[in-house]
Short mmCIF file of all heavy atoms in Angstrom, two decimals:
data_model
loop_
_atom_site.label_atom_id
_atom_site.label_comp_id
_atom_site.label_asym_id
_atom_site.label_seq_id
_atom_site.Cartn_x
_atom_site.Cartn_y
_atom_site.Cartn_z
N GLU A 17 -11.75 -5.77 -3.24
CA GLU A 17 -11.02 -5.16 -4.35
C GLU A 17 -9.58 -4.87 -3.93
O GLU A 17 -9.28 -4.82 -2.75
CB GLU A 17 -11.69 -3.85 -4.76
CG GLU A 17 -13.04 -4.10 -5.37
CD GLU A 17 -13.75 -2.83 -5.78
OE1 GLU A 17 -13.17 -1.74 -5.62
OE2 GLU A 17 -14.87 -2.95 -6.27
N ASP A 20 -3.87 -7.14 -2.57
CA ASP A 20 -2.46 -7.03 -2.92
C ASP A 20 -1.74 -8.32 -2.55
O ASP A 20 -2.23 -9.11 -1.75
CB ASP A 20 -1.84 -5.79 -2.25
CG ASP A 20 -1.98 -5.84 -0.75
OD1 ASP A 20 -1.23 -6.59 -0.12
OD2 ASP A 20 -2.86 -5.12 -0.20
N ASP A 22 0.76 -8.77 -0.74
CA ASP A 22 1.10 -8.86 0.68
C ASP A 22 -0.02 -9.59 1.46
O ASP A 22 0.24 -10.19 2.50
CB ASP A 22 1.30 -7.47 1.30
CG ASP A 22 2.72 -6.93 1.12
OD1 ASP A 22 3.04 -6.50 0.00
OD2 ASP A 22 3.50 -6.97 2.09
N GLN A 23 -1.26 -9.49 0.98
CA GLN A 23 -2.36 -10.22 1.63
C GLN A 23 -2.36 -11.67 1.16
O GLN A 23 -2.61 -12.58 1.94
CB GLN A 23 -3.73 -9.60 1.32
CG GLN A 23 -3.85 -8.10 1.57
CD GLN A 23 -3.23 -7.67 2.88
OE1 GLN A 23 -3.37 -8.34 3.91
NE2 GLN A 23 -2.51 -6.57 2.84
N ALA A 27 4.86 -11.09 3.83
CA ALA A 27 6.32 -11.14 3.66
C ALA A 27 7.01 -12.14 4.58
O ALA A 27 7.99 -12.76 4.20
CB ALA A 27 6.90 -9.75 3.87
N LEU A 30 8.08 -15.49 3.19
CA LEU A 30 8.86 -15.56 1.94
C LEU A 30 10.28 -16.06 2.16
O LEU A 30 11.13 -15.92 1.31
CB LEU A 30 8.94 -14.17 1.28
CG LEU A 30 7.64 -13.43 1.06
CD1 LEU A 30 7.91 -12.15 0.26
CD2 LEU A 30 6.63 -14.28 0.33
N LYS A 31 10.53 -16.62 3.32
CA LYS A 31 11.91 -16.97 3.65
C LYS A 31 12.35 -18.31 3.07
O LYS A 31 13.50 -18.69 3.22
CB LYS A 31 12.10 -16.98 5.17
CG LYS A 31 11.96 -15.57 5.76
CD LYS A 31 12.07 -15.60 7.27
CE LYS A 31 11.66 -14.30 7.91
NZ LYS A 31 12.74 -13.32 8.03
N ALA A 32 11.45 -19.00 2.41
CA ALA A 32 11.80 -20.32 1.88
C ALA A 32 12.71 -20.19 0.66
O ALA A 32 12.74 -19.16 0.01
CB ALA A 32 10.53 -21.06 1.49
N THR A 34 12.59 -22.81 -1.61
CA THR A 34 11.97 -23.69 -2.61
C THR A 34 10.60 -23.12 -2.96
O THR A 34 10.14 -22.17 -2.34
CB THR A 34 11.76 -25.12 -2.06
OG1 THR A 34 10.80 -25.04 -1.00
CG2 THR A 34 13.05 -25.70 -1.53
N ARG A 35 9.94 -23.74 -3.96
CA ARG A 35 8.64 -23.24 -4.40
C ARG A 35 7.47 -23.90 -3.68
O ARG A 35 6.32 -23.59 -3.97
CB ARG A 35 8.45 -23.53 -5.90
CG ARG A 35 9.25 -22.66 -6.80
CD ARG A 35 8.95 -23.04 -8.25
NE ARG A 35 9.82 -22.28 -9.13
CZ ARG A 35 9.38 -21.54 -10.15
NH1 ARG A 35 8.12 -21.48 -10.44
NH2 ARG A 35 10.23 -20.86 -10.89
N TRP A 46 -5.75 -12.97 6.72
CA TRP A 46 -7.20 -12.87 6.59
C TRP A 46 -7.86 -14.18 7.04
O TRP A 46 -9.03 -14.21 7.39
CB TRP A 46 -7.59 -12.57 5.13
CG TRP A 46 -7.33 -11.14 4.74
CD1 TRP A 46 -6.89 -10.14 5.57
CD2 TRP A 46 -7.51 -10.56 3.45
NE1 TRP A 46 -6.79 -8.97 4.86
CE2 TRP A 46 -7.16 -9.18 3.57
CE3 TRP A 46 -7.94 -11.04 2.22
CZ2 TRP A 46 -7.22 -8.31 2.48
CZ3 TRP A 46 -8.00 -10.15 1.14
CH2 TRP A 46 -7.64 -8.81 1.27
N LYS A 76 -11.97 -6.36 -8.26
CA LYS A 76 -11.04 -5.84 -9.27
C LYS A 76 -9.68 -5.42 -8.73
O LYS A 76 -9.52 -5.17 -7.55
CB LYS A 76 -11.69 -4.70 -10.05
CG LYS A 76 -11.88 -3.41 -9.31
CD LYS A 76 -12.22 -2.31 -10.33
CE LYS A 76 -12.44 -1.00 -9.61
NZ LYS A 76 -13.83 -0.56 -9.60
N ASN A 77 -8.71 -5.34 -9.65
CA ASN A 77 -7.31 -5.04 -9.35
C ASN A 77 -6.68 -6.09 -8.43
O ASN A 77 -5.99 -5.78 -7.47
CB ASN A 77 -7.15 -3.64 -8.77
CG ASN A 77 -5.72 -3.12 -8.91
OD1 ASN A 77 -4.96 -3.57 -9.78
ND2 ASN A 77 -5.33 -2.20 -8.06
N GLY A 81 0.63 -4.60 -6.14
CA GLY A 81 1.70 -4.49 -5.15
C GLY A 81 2.93 -5.28 -5.52
O GLY A 81 3.35 -5.30 -6.67
N SER A 82 3.49 -5.94 -4.53
CA SER A 82 4.77 -6.63 -4.65
C SER A 82 4.79 -7.64 -5.80
O SER A 82 3.78 -8.27 -6.09
CB SER A 82 5.06 -7.31 -3.32
OG SER A 82 5.94 -8.39 -3.48
N SER A 83 5.98 -7.81 -6.41
CA SER A 83 6.13 -8.72 -7.55
C SER A 83 6.26 -10.18 -7.12
O SER A 83 6.40 -11.04 -7.96
CB SER A 83 7.37 -8.32 -8.34
OG SER A 83 8.52 -8.48 -7.53
N ARG A 84 6.23 -10.43 -5.82
CA ARG A 84 6.50 -11.79 -5.32
C ARG A 84 5.71 -12.87 -6.06
O ARG A 84 4.49 -12.92 -6.00
CB ARG A 84 6.23 -11.85 -3.81
CG ARG A 84 4.84 -11.47 -3.43
CD ARG A 84 4.68 -11.36 -1.92
NE ARG A 84 5.40 -10.19 -1.40
CZ ARG A 84 5.14 -9.64 -0.23
NH1 ARG A 84 4.22 -10.14 0.57
NH2 ARG A 84 5.81 -8.58 0.17
N GLU A 85 6.43 -13.78 -6.71
CA GLU A 85 5.78 -14.87 -7.42
C GLU A 85 5.20 -15.86 -6.42
O GLU A 85 4.35 -16.69 -6.75
CB GLU A 85 6.80 -15.56 -8.35
CG GLU A 85 6.17 -16.50 -9.35
CD GLU A 85 7.12 -16.86 -10.48
OE1 GLU A 85 7.79 -15.96 -11.00
OE2 GLU A 85 7.18 -18.04 -10.84
N PHE A 103 -10.11 -7.16 -13.22
CA PHE A 103 -8.90 -6.38 -13.49
C PHE A 103 -7.73 -6.99 -12.74
O PHE A 103 -7.89 -7.37 -11.58
CB PHE A 103 -9.13 -4.94 -13.02
CG PHE A 103 -8.17 -3.93 -13.60
CD1 PHE A 103 -8.32 -3.48 -14.90
CD2 PHE A 103 -7.12 -3.41 -12.84
CE1 PHE A 103 -7.45 -2.54 -15.44
CE2 PHE A 103 -6.26 -2.47 -13.37
CZ PHE A 103 -6.42 -2.04 -14.67
N TYR A 104 -6.57 -7.09 -13.39
CA TYR A 104 -5.39 -7.64 -12.73
C TYR A 104 -4.22 -6.68 -12.79
O TYR A 104 -4.06 -5.95 -13.77
CB TYR A 104 -4.92 -8.93 -13.43
CG TYR A 104 -5.87 -10.07 -13.30
CD1 TYR A 104 -6.82 -10.30 -14.28
CD2 TYR A 104 -5.84 -10.87 -12.18
CE1 TYR A 104 -7.73 -11.33 -14.14
CE2 TYR A 104 -6.75 -11.91 -12.04
CZ TYR A 104 -7.70 -12.14 -13.02
OH TYR A 104 -8.58 -13.14 -12.88
N ASP A 106 -0.35 -6.08 -13.60
CA ASP A 106 0.47 -6.67 -14.65
C ASP A 106 1.39 -7.80 -14.21
O ASP A 106 1.45 -8.84 -14.84
CB ASP A 106 1.39 -5.60 -15.25
CG ASP A 106 0.68 -4.79 -16.31
OD1 ASP A 106 -0.35 -5.27 -16.82
OD2 ASP A 106 1.16 -3.68 -16.62
N ASN A 110 1.41 -12.04 -15.20
CA ASN A 110 2.52 -12.82 -15.76
C ASN A 110 2.92 -13.96 -14.84
O ASN A 110 3.15 -15.08 -15.30
CB ASN A 110 3.76 -11.94 -15.94
CG ASN A 110 3.74 -11.24 -17.28
OD1 ASN A 110 3.01 -11.63 -18.18
ND2 ASN A 110 4.52 -10.18 -17.39
N ASN A 111 3.04 -13.65 -13.55
CA ASN A 111 3.45 -14.68 -12.60
C ASN A 111 2.45 -15.84 -12.60
O ASN A 111 2.84 -17.01 -12.54
CB ASN A 111 3.56 -14.11 -11.19
CG ASN A 111 4.78 -13.21 -11.03
OD1 ASN A 111 5.72 -13.28 -11.83
ND2 ASN A 111 4.78 -12.39 -10.00
N SER A 163 -2.00 -14.93 -27.63
CA SER A 163 -2.04 -16.24 -28.30
C SER A 163 -0.80 -17.09 -28.00
O SER A 163 -0.88 -18.31 -27.95
CB SER A 163 -2.22 -16.06 -29.80
OG SER A 163 -1.12 -15.35 -30.32
N TYR A 164 0.31 -16.41 -27.75
CA TYR A 164 1.53 -17.16 -27.42
C TYR A 164 1.34 -17.89 -26.08
O TYR A 164 1.59 -19.09 -25.95
CB TYR A 164 2.74 -16.21 -27.34
CG TYR A 164 3.94 -16.83 -26.68
CD1 TYR A 164 4.81 -17.63 -27.41
CD2 TYR A 164 4.17 -16.64 -25.32
CE1 TYR A 164 5.90 -18.23 -26.78
CE2 TYR A 164 5.26 -17.23 -24.70
CZ TYR A 164 6.12 -18.02 -25.42
OH TYR A 164 7.18 -18.61 -24.80
N ASP A 174 6.87 -24.11 -21.31
CA ASP A 174 7.20 -22.88 -20.59
C ASP A 174 8.14 -22.00 -21.41
O ASP A 174 8.73 -22.42 -22.40
CB ASP A 174 7.62 -23.15 -19.14
CG ASP A 174 9.05 -23.63 -19.00
OD1 ASP A 174 9.82 -23.49 -19.95
OD2 ASP A 174 9.37 -24.12 -17.90
N ASP A 175 8.23 -20.74 -20.99
CA ASP A 175 8.96 -19.73 -21.74
C ASP A 175 10.45 -20.04 -21.83
O ASP A 175 11.11 -19.64 -22.78
CB ASP A 175 8.82 -18.36 -21.06
CG ASP A 175 7.43 -17.78 -21.23
OD1 ASP A 175 6.66 -18.33 -22.03
OD2 ASP A 175 7.13 -16.78 -20.55
N ILE A 176 10.97 -20.71 -20.82
CA ILE A 176 12.41 -20.93 -20.82
C ILE A 176 12.83 -21.87 -21.96
O ILE A 176 13.83 -21.64 -22.62
CB ILE A 176 12.88 -21.42 -19.44
CG1 ILE A 176 12.56 -20.30 -18.44
CG2 ILE A 176 14.36 -21.77 -19.45
CD1 ILE A 176 12.99 -20.55 -17.04
N ASP A 177 12.01 -22.88 -22.22
CA ASP A 177 12.32 -23.77 -23.34
C ASP A 177 12.42 -22.94 -24.62
O ASP A 177 13.33 -23.10 -25.42
CB ASP A 177 11.21 -24.82 -23.53
CG ASP A 177 11.07 -25.71 -22.31
OD1 ASP A 177 12.11 -25.97 -21.67
OD2 ASP A 177 9.95 -26.12 -21.97
N TYR A 178 11.46 -22.04 -24.78
CA TYR A 178 11.45 -21.20 -25.98
C TYR A 178 12.69 -20.30 -26.03
O TYR A 178 13.36 -20.21 -27.05
CB TYR A 178 10.17 -20.37 -26.01
CG TYR A 178 10.14 -19.43 -27.19
CD1 TYR A 178 9.78 -19.89 -28.46
CD2 TYR A 178 10.53 -18.10 -27.05
CE1 TYR A 178 9.80 -19.04 -29.55
CE2 TYR A 178 10.55 -17.25 -28.14
CZ TYR A 178 10.18 -17.72 -29.39
OH TYR A 178 10.22 -16.87 -30.47
N PHE A 189 22.37 -10.89 -31.83
CA PHE A 189 21.88 -9.57 -31.43
C PHE A 189 22.93 -8.84 -30.61
O PHE A 189 23.17 -7.65 -30.80
CB PHE A 189 20.59 -9.74 -30.61
CG PHE A 189 20.04 -8.45 -30.06
CD1 PHE A 189 19.18 -7.67 -30.83
CD2 PHE A 189 20.36 -8.01 -28.78
CE1 PHE A 189 18.67 -6.47 -30.34
CE2 PHE A 189 19.86 -6.82 -28.28
CZ PHE A 189 19.02 -6.04 -29.06
N GLU A 190 23.58 -9.56 -29.72
CA GLU A 190 24.61 -8.93 -28.87
C GLU A 190 25.77 -8.39 -29.69
O GLU A 190 26.43 -7.43 -29.28
CB GLU A 190 25.14 -9.95 -27.85
CG GLU A 190 24.16 -10.26 -26.72
CD GLU A 190 24.69 -11.33 -25.77
OE1 GLU A 190 25.36 -12.28 -26.25
OE2 GLU A 190 24.42 -11.23 -24.56
N ARG A 194 25.19 -1.27 -31.17
CA ARG A 194 23.95 -0.70 -30.63
C ARG A 194 24.19 0.66 -30.03
O ARG A 194 25.22 0.92 -29.49
CB ARG A 194 23.35 -1.64 -29.58
CG ARG A 194 22.65 -2.83 -30.22
CD ARG A 194 21.75 -3.53 -29.23
NE ARG A 194 22.49 -4.10 -28.11
CZ ARG A 194 22.08 -4.05 -26.85
NH1 ARG A 194 21.00 -3.39 -26.54
NH2 ARG A 194 22.79 -4.60 -25.90
N HIS B 12 15.20 -0.65 -29.57
CA HIS B 12 16.62 -0.96 -29.52
C HIS B 12 16.93 -2.31 -28.88
O HIS B 12 18.03 -2.80 -28.99
CB HIS B 12 17.28 0.12 -28.66
CG HIS B 12 18.47 0.70 -29.29
ND1 HIS B 12 18.38 1.70 -30.22
CD2 HIS B 12 19.79 0.40 -29.16
CE1 HIS B 12 19.59 2.00 -30.62
NE2 HIS B 12 20.46 1.23 -30.00
N HIS B 13 15.95 -2.86 -28.17
CA HIS B 13 16.21 -4.08 -27.40
C HIS B 13 15.40 -5.29 -27.85
O HIS B 13 15.47 -6.33 -27.22
CB HIS B 13 15.96 -3.81 -25.90
CG HIS B 13 17.01 -2.93 -25.30
ND1 HIS B 13 16.97 -1.56 -25.38
CD2 HIS B 13 18.15 -3.24 -24.62
CE1 HIS B 13 18.03 -1.05 -24.77
NE2 HIS B 13 18.77 -2.04 -24.31
N ILE B 18 7.44 -12.12 -31.66
CA ILE B 18 6.73 -13.36 -31.94
C ILE B 18 5.37 -12.97 -32.52
O ILE B 18 4.63 -12.22 -31.89
CB ILE B 18 6.51 -14.19 -30.66
CG1 ILE B 18 7.87 -14.45 -29.99
CG2 ILE B 18 5.79 -15.49 -30.96
CD1 ILE B 18 7.77 -15.14 -28.65
N GLY B 20 1.75 -12.38 -33.14
CA GLY B 20 0.59 -12.56 -32.25
C GLY B 20 0.96 -12.74 -30.80
O GLY B 20 0.11 -13.04 -29.97
N PRO B 22 4.29 -11.95 -27.57
CA PRO B 22 5.17 -10.93 -27.01
C PRO B 22 6.45 -10.77 -27.84
O PRO B 22 6.67 -11.50 -28.79
CB PRO B 22 5.49 -11.49 -25.63
CG PRO B 22 5.37 -12.97 -25.78
CD PRO B 22 4.35 -13.22 -26.83
N TYR B 26 15.78 -7.94 -25.02
CA TYR B 26 17.11 -8.12 -24.44
C TYR B 26 17.25 -7.28 -23.17
O TYR B 26 16.81 -6.13 -23.13
CB TYR B 26 18.19 -7.71 -25.45
CG TYR B 26 19.57 -8.11 -24.98
CD1 TYR B 26 20.01 -9.42 -25.11
CD2 TYR B 26 20.42 -7.17 -24.40
CE1 TYR B 26 21.26 -9.81 -24.65
CE2 TYR B 26 21.68 -7.55 -23.94
CZ TYR B 26 22.09 -8.87 -24.07
OH TYR B 26 23.33 -9.25 -23.62
N GLN B 39 14.76 -19.82 -5.97
CA GLN B 39 14.01 -20.78 -6.79
C GLN B 39 14.41 -20.68 -8.26
O GLN B 39 14.28 -21.65 -9.00
CB GLN B 39 12.51 -20.56 -6.63
CG GLN B 39 11.97 -20.86 -5.22
CD GLN B 39 12.07 -19.67 -4.26
OE1 GLN B 39 12.66 -18.64 -4.57
NE2 GLN B 39 11.48 -19.81 -3.08
N ARG B 47 17.56 -27.82 -14.94
CA ARG B 47 17.72 -27.93 -16.39
C ARG B 47 19.17 -28.20 -16.77
O ARG B 47 19.48 -28.42 -17.94
CB ARG B 47 17.28 -26.63 -17.06
CG ARG B 47 15.80 -26.41 -17.04
CD ARG B 47 15.46 -25.00 -17.50
NE ARG B 47 14.15 -24.62 -17.00
CZ ARG B 47 13.04 -24.67 -17.72
NH1 ARG B 47 13.07 -25.08 -18.96
NH2 ARG B 47 11.89 -24.34 -17.18
N ARG B 53 24.77 -14.87 -19.01
CA ARG B 53 25.64 -13.68 -18.99
C ARG B 53 25.82 -13.18 -17.55
O ARG B 53 25.24 -12.17 -17.17
CB ARG B 53 25.01 -12.56 -19.84
CG ARG B 53 24.94 -12.84 -21.32
CD ARG B 53 26.32 -12.76 -21.95
NE ARG B 53 26.30 -13.04 -23.38
CZ ARG B 53 26.77 -14.15 -23.94
NH1 ARG B 53 27.28 -15.12 -23.20
NH2 ARG B 53 26.73 -14.29 -25.26
N ASN B 64 16.09 -9.21 3.81
CA ASN B 64 15.95 -10.07 4.96
C ASN B 64 17.02 -9.84 6.02
O ASN B 64 17.16 -10.60 6.96
CB ASN B 64 16.12 -11.51 4.41
CG ASN B 64 15.20 -12.46 5.06
OD1 ASN B 64 14.73 -12.19 6.16
ND2 ASN B 64 14.96 -13.57 4.42
N SER B 79 16.27 -16.61 7.59
CA SER B 79 16.86 -15.44 6.92
C SER B 79 18.32 -15.72 6.62
O SER B 79 18.83 -15.42 5.54
CB SER B 79 16.78 -14.21 7.82
OG SER B 79 15.46 -13.97 8.19
N GLN B 82 18.66 -18.00 3.65
CA GLN B 82 18.45 -17.34 2.36
C GLN B 82 19.70 -16.57 1.92
O GLN B 82 20.08 -16.58 0.76
CB GLN B 82 17.27 -16.37 2.44
CG GLN B 82 15.99 -16.97 1.91
CD GLN B 82 14.86 -15.97 1.78
OE1 GLN B 82 14.92 -14.86 2.31
NE2 GLN B 82 13.82 -16.37 1.08
N ASP B 128 11.70 -7.72 -8.24
CA ASP B 128 11.26 -6.80 -7.21
C ASP B 128 10.49 -5.67 -7.89
O ASP B 128 11.01 -5.06 -8.83
CB ASP B 128 12.48 -6.21 -6.49
CG ASP B 128 12.06 -5.47 -5.25
OD1 ASP B 128 11.56 -4.34 -5.39
OD2 ASP B 128 12.18 -6.03 -4.17
N SER B 129 9.29 -5.40 -7.39
CA SER B 129 8.43 -4.47 -8.14
C SER B 129 8.99 -3.05 -8.20
O SER B 129 8.70 -2.32 -9.13
CB SER B 129 7.03 -4.47 -7.54
OG SER B 129 7.09 -4.21 -6.16
N GLY B 145 8.78 -11.54 -11.86
CA GLY B 145 8.63 -12.66 -10.94
C GLY B 145 9.81 -13.59 -11.03
O GLY B 145 10.69 -13.43 -11.89
N THR B 146 9.82 -14.59 -10.14
CA THR B 146 10.98 -15.49 -10.08
C THR B 146 11.15 -16.34 -11.33
O THR B 146 12.27 -16.61 -11.76
CB THR B 146 10.86 -16.36 -8.81
OG1 THR B 146 10.89 -15.48 -7.68
CG2 THR B 146 12.00 -17.34 -8.69
N SER B 147 10.04 -16.75 -11.97
CA SER B 147 10.18 -17.51 -13.23
C SER B 147 10.89 -16.66 -14.28
O SER B 147 11.66 -17.15 -15.08
CB SER B 147 8.82 -17.92 -13.78
OG SER B 147 8.19 -18.80 -12.90
N GLU B 150 14.55 -16.47 -13.73
CA GLU B 150 15.16 -17.67 -14.32
C GLU B 150 15.33 -17.49 -15.84
O GLU B 150 16.34 -17.92 -16.42
CB GLU B 150 14.29 -18.89 -14.00
CG GLU B 150 14.95 -20.21 -14.34
CD GLU B 150 14.06 -21.40 -14.01
OE1 GLU B 150 13.20 -21.28 -13.10
OE2 GLU B 150 14.22 -22.45 -14.65
N MET B 151 14.36 -16.85 -16.48
CA MET B 151 14.47 -16.62 -17.93
C MET B 151 15.66 -15.73 -18.25
O MET B 151 16.39 -15.97 -19.21
CB MET B 151 13.20 -15.93 -18.45
CG MET B 151 11.98 -16.82 -18.40
SD MET B 151 10.50 -15.88 -18.87
CE MET B 151 9.28 -16.82 -17.95
N LEU B 159 10.27 -12.45 -22.32
CA LEU B 159 9.17 -12.31 -23.27
C LEU B 159 8.25 -11.23 -22.73
O LEU B 159 7.73 -11.37 -21.62
CB LEU B 159 8.44 -13.64 -23.39
CG LEU B 159 9.30 -14.73 -24.02
CD1 LEU B 159 8.66 -16.09 -23.86
CD2 LEU B 159 9.54 -14.43 -25.49
N ALA B 194 -4.67 1.92 -9.24
CA ALA B 194 -4.68 1.10 -10.45
C ALA B 194 -4.68 1.98 -11.68
O ALA B 194 -4.83 1.51 -12.80
CB ALA B 194 -5.90 0.19 -10.47
N THR B 197 -2.22 0.96 -14.56
CA THR B 197 -2.00 -0.46 -14.86
C THR B 197 -2.03 -0.67 -16.37
O THR B 197 -2.92 -0.17 -17.05
CB THR B 197 -3.07 -1.33 -14.17
OG1 THR B 197 -3.01 -1.08 -12.77
CG2 THR B 197 -2.82 -2.82 -14.42
N GLY B 198 -1.03 -1.38 -16.85
CA GLY B 198 -0.94 -1.65 -18.29
C GLY B 198 -0.16 -0.60 -19.06
O GLY B 198 0.05 -0.74 -20.25
N ARG B 229 3.69 -0.42 -15.48
CA ARG B 229 4.71 -1.42 -15.79
C ARG B 229 6.08 -0.83 -15.48
O ARG B 229 6.95 -1.50 -14.97
CB ARG B 229 4.63 -1.79 -17.27
CG ARG B 229 5.57 -2.89 -17.69
CD ARG B 229 5.00 -4.25 -17.45
NE ARG B 229 3.89 -4.52 -18.32
CZ ARG B 229 4.03 -4.93 -19.59
NH1 ARG B 229 5.22 -5.15 -20.09
NH2 ARG B 229 2.98 -5.14 -20.34
N LYS B 261 24.98 9.25 -27.07
CA LYS B 261 23.82 8.35 -27.20
C LYS B 261 22.70 8.77 -26.26
O LYS B 261 21.53 8.80 -26.62
CB LYS B 261 24.25 6.92 -26.84
CG LYS B 261 24.60 6.05 -28.02
CD LYS B 261 24.50 4.60 -27.60
CE LYS B 261 25.81 3.89 -27.88
NZ LYS B 261 25.91 2.61 -27.18
N GLU B 311 -19.95 1.19 -3.69
CA GLU B 311 -18.74 0.41 -3.97
C GLU B 311 -17.56 1.00 -3.20
O GLU B 311 -16.80 0.29 -2.54
CB GLU B 311 -18.46 0.47 -5.47
CG GLU B 311 -17.54 -0.63 -5.96
CD GLU B 311 -17.31 -0.50 -7.46
OE1 GLU B 311 -18.31 -0.47 -8.21
OE2 GLU B 311 -16.16 -0.41 -7.88
N LYS B 318 -13.53 -0.82 5.10
CA LYS B 318 -12.55 -1.85 5.46
C LYS B 318 -11.22 -1.18 5.84
O LYS B 318 -10.62 -1.52 6.86
CB LYS B 318 -12.37 -2.78 4.26
CG LYS B 318 -11.55 -4.01 4.55
CD LYS B 318 -11.80 -5.06 3.47
CE LYS B 318 -10.96 -6.30 3.72
NZ LYS B 318 -9.53 -6.09 3.53
N MET B 410 10.38 -8.02 7.01
CA MET B 410 10.81 -9.42 6.90
C MET B 410 11.86 -9.76 7.95
O MET B 410 12.06 -10.90 8.29
CB MET B 410 11.43 -9.67 5.52
CG MET B 410 10.52 -10.45 4.60
SD MET B 410 11.37 -10.98 3.12
CE MET B 410 11.68 -12.71 3.50
N ARG B 427 4.48 1.45 0.68
CA ARG B 427 3.25 0.65 0.75
C ARG B 427 2.63 0.69 2.13
O ARG B 427 3.32 0.49 3.13
CB ARG B 427 3.52 -0.80 0.35
CG ARG B 427 3.79 -0.89 -1.11
CD ARG B 427 3.87 -2.30 -1.65
NE ARG B 427 3.92 -2.22 -3.09
CZ ARG B 427 4.65 -2.99 -3.87
NH1 ARG B 427 5.40 -3.95 -3.35
NH2 ARG B 427 4.63 -2.84 -5.16
N PHE B 429 -0.12 -1.24 2.78
CA PHE B 429 -1.02 -2.39 2.79
C PHE B 429 -1.19 -2.93 4.21
O PHE B 429 -0.30 -2.81 5.04
CB PHE B 429 -0.44 -3.53 1.94
CG PHE B 429 -0.25 -3.19 0.49
CD1 PHE B 429 0.74 -3.82 -0.24
CD2 PHE B 429 -1.06 -2.26 -0.15
CE1 PHE B 429 0.93 -3.53 -1.58
CE2 PHE B 429 -0.87 -1.97 -1.49
CZ PHE B 429 0.12 -2.61 -2.21
N GLU B 430 -2.33 -3.58 4.44
CA GLU B 430 -2.55 -4.23 5.74
C GLU B 430 -1.36 -5.14 6.04
O GLU B 430 -0.96 -5.94 5.19
CB GLU B 430 -3.81 -5.11 5.68
CG GLU B 430 -5.09 -4.32 5.64
CD GLU B 430 -6.31 -5.25 5.62
OE1 GLU B 430 -6.21 -6.39 6.10
OE2 GLU B 430 -7.36 -4.79 5.13
N ARG B 432 1.73 -4.76 6.12
CA ARG B 432 2.98 -4.62 5.38
C ARG B 432 4.17 -4.46 6.33
O ARG B 432 5.23 -5.02 6.14
CB ARG B 432 2.88 -3.40 4.45
CG ARG B 432 4.19 -3.00 3.78
CD ARG B 432 4.52 -3.89 2.61
NE ARG B 432 5.75 -3.44 1.94
CZ ARG B 432 6.25 -4.03 0.86
NH1 ARG B 432 5.65 -5.05 0.31
NH2 ARG B 432 7.35 -3.59 0.32
#
Side-chain angles (χ1 to χ4, degrees):
Chain A
E17 293 180 2
D20 58 76
D22 274 76
Q23 308 316 319
L30 308 186
K31 293 177 192 272
T34 66
R35 286 181 185 233
W46 284 355
K76 71 166 179 251
N77 200 24
S82 156
S83 63
R84 58 188 70 160
E85 193 164 317
F103 198 76
Y104 293 94
D106 277 341
N110 273 342
N111 287 341
S163 62
Y164 166 83
D174 79 15
D175 288 349
I176 298 182
D177 298 327
Y178 177 81
F189 176 87
E190 286 177 324
R194 283 195 297 138
Chain B
H12 229 82
H13 289 84
I18 304 174
Y26 190 78
Q39 294 87 352
R47 288 170 202 261
R53 293 287 180 252
N64 219 338
S79 304
Q82 262 189 347
D128 191 283
S129 53
T146 298
S147 296
E150 190 180 334
M151 292 174 208
L159 294 168
T197 302
R229 184 85 69 81
K261 263 201 235 165
E311 199 180 306
K318 189 161 179 292
M410 255 191 102
R427 289 189 171 141
F429 299 152
E430 288 181 25
R432 171 78 177 182

